[in-house]
Amino acid sequence: MEKLGMNEIREKYLSFFESKGHLRLPSFSLVPKNDKSLLLINAGMAPLKPYFTGKEIPPRKRVTTCQKCIRTPDIERVGKTARHGTFFEMLGNFSFGDYFKKEAIPWAWEFVTKVLELPEDRLWVTIYENDDEAYDIWNKVVGLPPERIVRMGKEDNFWEIGTGPCGPCSEIYFDRGEEKGCGKPTCGVGCDCDRFIEFWNLVFTQFDKDSEGNYNSLPKPNIDTGMGLERMATIMQGVDSIFDVDVIRGITDYVGEMAGVKYGDDKKNDVSLRVITDHIRGVTFMISDGILPSNEGRGYVLRRILRRAARYGKLLGLDKPFLHNVVDVVVEHYSGAYPELIERKDYIKKVIKKEEERFKETIDQGLGILDEYINDLRSEGKTVLEGNKAFKLYDTYGFPIELTKEILNESGMTVDEVEYQKELEKQRLRARSSRKEDNALWEKDIYSTLKDIETKFVGYDSVKSDAKVLAIIKDNELVDSAEAGEEVNVILDMTPFYAESGGQVGDKGVIKNEDVFVNIKDCKKAGGNKFVHIGTVERGILSVGDTVEALIDEKNRLSTARNHTATHLLHSALRKFIGDHVHQAGSLVTPERLRFDFTHYQALTDEEIKTIENEVNEKIYENIDVSVDIMSHDEALKKGAMALFQEKYGDVVRVVNVSDYSKELCGGTHVDNTGNIGVFKIISESGVAAGIRRIEAVTGINAVKYMNEKEEIIANIGQILKVNEKDIVNRVTGMSQTIKDYEKQIEQLKSKIVSSTSERLINLAVDFNGVKFISAVLNDFDVDELKMMGDILKDKLKSAVLVFATIRNGKINFVGMATKDVVKFGINVGTIIKEVCQIAGGKGGGRPDMAQGVGNNLDKVNDALNASKMLVMEKLQIK
């Protein structure tokens, strides 16, 4: 067999299945769309679930993809094994009720033996133990000898999740040779050793499991296959690890050059290189798909992976931000298959660099905490750090256990690794329990039972249409009719109502005839191409089979269209003046306003906002015609039309053009000419997540209303200040300066009071062998003033321990400080304040030289301060 590269294998696979009538779709975003069961796409079939369930109509019954995926359950094993990774690509061919086993199995065999030219005598397959149909195809049609067809049980060769579609599967294995085996007499397919490697799973979805546990045959079974690209490349290139295949090894070697180490020379360094190589690929693709670092959800997954890579870089001596530079190599190797990476490269690098800089600050904090732990161990005469503290360093500050051990070893100390592993396992169990297996993966709703019902949408050209009532749903049940006063969901055979999608809300209007009147307040899509009109029967009885007239609220539609076209103009203006990294990350288009979320790493300046607003208004005043073209998806992209991160597109798409200024794939409704928008006004710009900004704006009559309201507010302010509108700014500026002058005078007075009080406190200092100790309750000062006083006293006393308390808002605030020379004697005010706060019924802590905390029991303030004195005497061995 030829040693093919990853990019060659990918292309051969997709081209092969195109030759078998499959539609090649680009990889879907890593962000699942309308799927709450997943944080991230983790399998080739995951984004295609709506096609398997019938909720959406596939663009073709045969589809092939190479899907980028992220999986993190085994993240701790990444870098330590040859096969584990968080990012991978899954090749797949799929049939939605079209072909089945007699096509899927021979095609799989043809691809691996004729296209990839794998030696037939090294190929084995497994089948479900009762699947005689698959056995006969493998044996009689393909010609595979019986001894190389292995029957396995349900656990290995039957795919199901809860209830719903499921079925047997057949896996294809490659025998890497006896020398890769474990040597046991029982060694064979299914053995845990490295000899037999599974690379392709063919799933035959032929049953529908009901709640009673019955397996009912599906009238139209499906095919779902998955081949790991990296694993296939490992076989084709004759290497032992996914990190040794061409594309991935190129990244590994680059990181090694940066760190001044060579892959393969040192096992410890190799782990770090593998972690960084794997994680930077995942990070690059996640950010490219609009995910940004945050403290929850998929943003947290990204942050964890990114910081884990940075930590392992630190172990290689890469102390400065470096991951953003590795992006260049990732893009170089992957842009052939994922050209969007080139366009988004600079943005990806900026996001990563900013996160690396944030993490450096965090890990520096962790080093300070670890220093405290080491000082505490020394003062207590101990040499083993508790495992829970090592875990806190890992969980909160991003320290790998290896880094903690390394720093402890430098001080002649170790860590309780048994306890650390227990804490780690507790975290894993918490993570598992928080995301239990979603048995609703294939959950059915009332609309999925309406197999042969579809709605034809005519709303691009018409505001009304005659229609027939196909179905009525009331209280989530199908009914034959509904009376006045009842809330209903109505499906028609034809409608002008736009169903909510792409950020645009659904139309409002009425469904009526001479006998019935239904007020429609919303319209949504369900199960394929069914338009669900949501409303209330206000007169008469609506029945299935009725002929009605469907009319939308034209004024409402036009206001929505103004806002939708304005979002397209806004998108283009942002990319023109802010940068090509700007991409839509979400939107909402209603008749009243528009909301546009976009990728950007910092707030827009007032000048930028004004520039963008003026740009959009200029395009409105130019009266540019807005046109819509229908074309193939590929043709649209070639012509420069923008596609959105998370949208799914079929073979044929709508391209909304505003001359050469804006071209976007869009299914929404728009004005015919930009002049119809009237006016565009930005009302706010804000951040909604790390790296995601939001602009809210109004158009048309709503923009006029907004500006009228602003004028009224300005007039009211003028009346209050008793000045003309043109003099408001000068008056407010003068008032602001007066306030600043007063604040400055107050701060000067505070400083004098603090200085005077510090002189008084010096006279109260107790001398412990040259170390001055002062404790006091100072209720006239806040915490910042106590710290200021502490700095003054430390400077004057040279060698001192200070503990202050102030009672405010029903709580005691404690502040502890110590000079650096005293810390060397073993004094740790972080520990002292912690105990002091506990006595007063609260919590506290901090560094050896500065700490603070809170107490809740006001009666214990003096007891707490007396305790601080005893603790200092104990540390200084004062009797």
Side-chain angles (χ1 to χ4, degrees), residues 122-187:
R122 298 180 72 175
L123 294 172
W124 294 66
V125 300
T126 62
I127 60 170
Y128 178 52
E129 56 190 355
N130 297 329
D131 193 355
D132 294 332
E133 181 185 8
Y135 177 88
D136 287 341
I137 297 172
W138 278 118
N139 178 235
K140 297 176 182 177
V141 178
V142 169
L144 199 62
E147 61 270 18
R148 282 196 277 125
I149 304 172
V150 182
R151 293 180 184 263
M152 288 190 170
K154 198 170 186 179
E155 184 177 341
D156 296 298
N157 279 73
F158 196 95
W159 188 91
E160 65 180 344
I161 299 180
T163 58
C166 58
C169 58
S170 180
E171 297 176 320
I172 309 177
Y173 286 75
F174 182 78
D175 181 359
R176 302 175 71 210
E178 194 173 337
E179 67 279 6
K180 300 289 185 182
C182 57
K184 297 178 183 177
T186 57
C187 184

Side-chain angles (χ1 to χ4, degrees), residues 193 432 661 740:
C193 71
R432 287 192 197 115
Y661 187 72
K740 287 179 181 178

Side-chain angles (χ1 to χ4, degrees), residues 202 296 514 545 613 848:
L202 316 178
E296 59 184 15
E514 291 182 357
E613 185 177 274

Side-chain angles (χ1 to χ4, degrees), residues 220-379:
K220 291 184 178 181
N222 304 312
I223 289 292
D224 159 24
T225 85
M227 175 195 287
L229 176 57
E230 290 85 354
R231 188 170 289 192
M232 190 71 252
T234 303
I235 294 170
M236 296 296 296
Q237 295 175 29
V239 293
D240 292 331
S241 163
I242 61 171
F243 299 97
D244 289 313
V245 301
D246 59 330
V247 166
I248 303 175
R249 182 60 183 267
I251 301 168
T252 307
D253 288 341
Y254 180 80
V255 176
E257 287 176 16
M258 294 179 76
V261 299
K262 188 176 180 181
Y263 184 62
D265 284 354
D266 181 271
K267 289 184 178 180
K268 184 178 177 183
N269 287 342
D270 287 352
V271 169
S272 297
L273 290 170
R274 286 194 289 263
V275 169
I276 295 166
T277 299
D278 170 77
H279 289 4
I280 191 59
R281 294 186 305 141
V283 164
T284 298
F285 278 97
M286 290 172 78
I287 296 173
S288 175
D289 281 350
I291 303 168
L292 290 151
S294 69
N295 288 327
E296 59 184 15
R298 59 183 66 96
Y300 176 71
V301 175
L302 170 60
R303 173 164 282 168
R304 184 184 178 198
I305 293 173
L306 197 159
R307 291 188 169 189
R308 190 169 189 264
R311 293 198 309 262
Y312 277 92
K314 200 171 183 70
L315 291 176
L316 290 174
L318 295 166
D319 291 321
K320 295 180 180 179
F322 71 97
L323 287 169
H324 61 283
N325 291 322
V326 188
V327 172
D328 291 326
V329 187
V330 177
V331 173
E332 178 188 342
H333 285 294
Y334 282 93
S335 57
Y338 304 97
E340 67 274 12
L341 290 176
I342 298 173
E343 179 187 349
R344 300 168 190 168
K345 182 177 74 171
D346 290 342
Y347 171 68
I348 295 167
K349 292 177 69 174
K350 286 176 182 176
V351 172
I352 292 175
K353 187 176 182 182
K354 195 164 187 177
E355 182 66 15
E356 285 186 278
E357 290 168 347
R358 282 200 192 107
F359 178 55
K360 189 177 185 305
E361 295 172 7
T362 303
I363 206 165
D364 287 345
Q365 285 180 314
L367 284 169
I369 298 294
L370 184 53
D371 284 342
E372 288 181 34
Y373 290 162
I374 291 171
N375 286 332
D376 288 345
L377 289 172
R378 281 203 190 103
S379 63

Side-chain angles (χ1 to χ4, degrees), residues 42 75 174 180 216 221 270 284 346 463 474 585 630 747:
N42 60 4
I75 191 170
F174 182 78
K180 300 289 185 182
N216 306 300
D270 287 352
T284 298
D346 290 342
V463 295
K474 185 177 69 174
I630 308 298
E747 287 301 317

